[in-house]
Amino acid sequence: MSDTASKLETPASPESRRGLGHVLSVQGPVVDIIFENLQDIPGIYDVVEVVAYDKRQVIMQCAEHLSSKIVRCVALQDTLNVQLNAPCYNTFQPIAVPIGDECFGRVMDTTGRPLDNRGPINAPHRVPIRRITKQVGFDLKKKKGERPEVLETGMKYFDLLFPLVKGSKTGILGGAGCGKTVVILELIHNIVKAHGGACVFAGIGERIREGNELFYELEFNNLLSKVMLAFGQMDQPPGTRAEVVNTGITLAEYLQSKNKDVLLFMDNLYRFVQGGQEISTLLGRIPAETGYQPTLASEVSAVQERIRSIEGGGSVTAMQAVYVPADDMTDPAVVAIFSYLDGCIVLSRDLVQRGMYPAIDPLQSSCANLDPTVVGKRHYQVAMQVIQHFNKHNGLKRIVAVIGVEELNKEDQLIFKRAEKLLNFMTQPFHVTEVFTGKKGEYVPILDNVEGCARVLNGDFDHMNAEDFYMIGKVPKL
């Protein structure tokens, strides 16, 4: 992989003679092709093109060699109307996407085609989305004595308990309807607006409605010019959903090579695993004992190891939404993903039902960046006290449900009531949900956040009710 922008080059133009083959069979998104001339046979991940009966060009990616003449390809577009014996052309090139500042504000699919009806993307280079990365054993951006730089998000839970650090990977884990996408959208809104950084959004197998809303939300808030978007949506073949993650990372690598600090948002990484699982099944591979593809670990690691800081370049800070099937945190795909993360933010269905947004479970979540050497001594001490109060509250809430809070001893009553206030204080109205809630979004700086929690812990608000802290920004004035 090239480490600098100057080394980013357009791949050599395809050979004037394109390898000619013919369709043998079409089974959904899997197409078998025969090449009579051995010199025409594509390599693994080479692009093969075919024109369907309705004159629509279908791009396929070579996945297997079945024999000396027959290859099996995975289609990246719908194979409807692809006919038997239709001519296929081997391009002798892998999938390559346009790369350049012209990609800002544009939406592309896995293969680099524009999806926003705004004409072609006139970028100077096209770069393969699958590239061999330089093998390094250490993060070269972290130098001795250098303090990691914390990214302020304006979201109370993140800044207090799960701080984002430049170059880190954070996962947002939760079941269906727990608010992963809303949290991701709010992070994009706050970070891009506050820091003015470059941002890449990879929509992996998510709903078309969500992609449409994100595009117009960014446009409405004048943020579109700072974001590159790549989508492989839910209605597209599994090959597209599995490969779009590489398209997003390729865009991030370009910005990183320009010595920029990049925010890479991926929603939803589980759909990438799911796309790979469908392809594996279609290719006839025997699944692992867990039901997932036998190559699960290597596929996830190949993606995660590309997201890193490089010498002589910028950093990539990754936020990854991860769908948790049936709310089972021990699911093999989820475990394979979060083993690479610096922080895991777990969303709770119980909190969603109680209207606590963002529905982050502070006791199930964790973050390696919550350290006095990263956030400072006072911040760390306040955060630890908050977690202790949440732990105590969790142990007392069942007792309180039976006997009432008044029956607790004085010390436990105090801790329980302050923890209730802190839990309510951690809720926050979002900018991206103003249309639905009617409440103006709040951005809370880290200093105000820590100071507010410290005052609740010190008893400055013991005379107030917990409800007074629900869905507010900064602490109320006395």
Side-chain angles (χ1 to χ4, degrees):
M1 187 193 79
S2 301
D3 288 344
T4 58
S6 60
K7 294 180 184 176
L8 282 171
E9 297 177 356
T10 307
S13 58
E15 298 179 20
S16 55
R17 177 191 60 77
R18 302 210 299 172
L20 177 64
H22 293 89
V23 173
L24 268 185
S25 71
V26 179
Q27 303 169 52
V30 174
V31 182
D32 290 350
I33 302 168
I34 186 167
F35 289 87
E36 294 297 342
N37 191 336
L38 295 182
Q39 292 179 333
D40 292 343
I41 291 180
I44 300 296
Y45 300 126
D46 275 3
V47 170
V48 180
E49 297 172 351
V50 63
V51 177
Y53 179 73
D54 55 4
K55 308 301 181 190
R56 185 172 46 87
Q57 187 188 48
V58 178
I59 292 176
M60 299 175 287
Q61 190 178 45
C62 179
E64 276 184 349
H65 292 155
L66 298 182
S67 70
S68 60
K69 292 185 176 181
I70 300 172
V71 298
R72 180 161 283 174
C73 297
V74 174
L76 301 180
Q77 275 105 27
D78 192 2
T79 55
L80 185 69
N81 292 326
V82 173
Q83 294 176 296
L84 182 67
N85 290 325
C88 303
Y89 300 96
N90 176 17
T91 64
F92 299 98
Q93 296 287 328
I95 296 170
V97 295
I99 285 293
D101 290 346
E102 293 80 4
C103 297
F104 278 115
R106 299 302 304 271
V107 186
M108 67 175 71
D109 67 4
T110 304
T111 60
R113 292 177 174 179
L115 294 175
D116 50 11
N117 296 323
R118 297 188 177 186
I121 301 171
N122 297 314
H125 304 288
R126 290 189 78 89
V127 173
I129 63 171
R130 283 181 175 269
R131 307 168 77 197
I132 298 170
T133 54
K134 182 181 172 185
Q135 297 300 313
V136 291
F138 303 98
D139 188 344
L140 299 173
K141 290 291 284 182
K142 290 180 182 174
K143 296 174 184 172
K144 191 175 179 182
E146 185 180 307
R147 185 169 170 172
E149 188 178 343
V150 176
L151 274 175
E152 185 178 89
T153 67
M155 292 171 66
K156 288 181 279 191
Y157 257 129
F158 277 88
D159 289 341
L160 182 71
L161 302 179
F162 316 111
L164 292 188
V165 168
K166 276 188 181 178
S168 66
K169 301 188 191 91
T170 303
I172 301 173
L173 287 69
C178 287
K180 298 181 296 299
T181 301
V182 173
V183 171
I184 285 274
L185 294 185
E186 183 70 6
L187 282 167
I188 292 174
H189 179 278
N190 287 1
I191 294 174
V192 175
K193 205 158 196 175
H195 301 282
C199 175
V200 174
F201 183 90
I204 310 163
E206 284 297 278
R207 300 171 186 87
I208 298 171
R209 169 185 59 78
E210 291 174 347
N212 190 63
E213 285 175 3
L214 169 64
F215 180 83
Y216 287 109
E217 181 76 35
L218 293 171
E219 191 173 51
F220 178 76
N221 288 291
N222 299 316
L223 301 174
L224 197 58
S225 60
K226 295 177 182 175
V227 184
M228 297 180 180
L229 301 107
F231 284 107
Q233 295 299 87
M234 201 176 265
D235 66 325
Q236 294 183 292
T240 304
R241 287 180 268 128
E243 288 294 337
V244 73
V245 65
N246 291 313
T247 302
I249 293 172
T250 302
L251 294 173
E253 284 174 345
Y254 160 73
L255 293 170
Q256 186 185 26
S257 70
K258 303 274 281 186
N259 207 22
K260 290 185 179 180
D261 291 320
V262 190
L263 289 158
L264 173 61
F265 293 91
M266 298 194 286
D267 186 13
N268 181 309
L269 207 61
Y270 179 81
R271 305 292 181 199
F272 154 72
V273 173
Q274 209 171 35
Q277 181 186 19
E278 289 178 46
I279 291 169
S280 180
T281 304
L282 290 163
L283 295 177
R285 293 173 186 158
I286 299 169
E289 191 180 344
T290 56
Y292 286 100
Q293 61 269 45
T295 52
L296 172 64
S298 61
E299 286 177 11
V300 172
S301 66
V303 166
Q304 298 289 358
E305 291 301 326
R306 279 185 73 181
I307 306 167
R308 59 180 170 197
S309 303
I310 58 170
E311 194 172 24
S315 67
V316 176
T317 307
M319 293 296 305
Q320 308 174 12
V322 183
Y323 165 69
V324 180
D327 294 338
D328 178 16
M329 297 300 293
T330 62
D331 186 88
V334 176
V335 172
I337 293 166
F338 74 52
S339 61
Y340 291 92
L341 303 176
D342 298 301
C344 290
I345 314 299
V346 179
L347 301 180
S348 161
R349 194 171 301 281
D350 177 53
L351 292 172
V352 170
Q353 290 166 351
R354 287 165 51 194
M356 309 290 276
Y357 296 105
I360 295 170
D361 188 328
L363 300 180
Q364 281 196 60
S365 306
S366 62
C367 183
N369 299 326
L370 186 59
D371 187 275
T373 59
V374 177
V375 297
K377 193 174 178 183
R378 173 169 164 75
H379 183 150
Y380 178 76
Q381 287 173 340
V382 171
M384 286 296 103
Q385 281 184 275
V386 169
I387 290 171
Q388 286 167 9
H389 275 63
F390 288 161
N391 260 316
K392 188 73 173 174
H393 178 272
N394 194 50
L396 291 172
K397 65 181 180 184
R398 288 189 178 179
I399 299 169
V400 169
V402 177
I403 63 173
V405 70
E406 291 78 16
E407 298 300 318
L408 299 175
N409 62 52
K410 286 280 190 271
E411 185 184 349
D412 284 351
Q413 273 192 47
L414 214 55
I415 290 172
F416 186 85
K417 287 178 178 177
R418 286 176 184 172
E420 290 268 278
K421 291 183 180 73
L422 285 168
L423 283 166
N424 279 350
F425 178 56
M426 286 293 135
T427 61
Q428 190 171 348
F430 285 171
H431 294 88
V432 296
T433 58
E434 285 178 9
V435 179
F436 309 107
T437 62
K439 285 193 174 183
K440 193 175 185 305
E442 293 276 358
Y443 182 101
V444 182
I446 292 177
L447 288 175
D448 292 335
N449 187 3
V450 174
E451 187 58 36
C453 291
R455 291 179 65 191
V456 173
L457 292 166
N458 291 337
D460 291 5
F461 302 103
D462 284 353
H463 62 285
M464 295 176 70
N465 296 321
E467 293 76 25
D468 297 332
F469 292 82
Y470 179 69
M471 282 293 175
I472 62 169
K474 300 175 186 177
V475 290
K477 293 180 182 178
L478 291 173

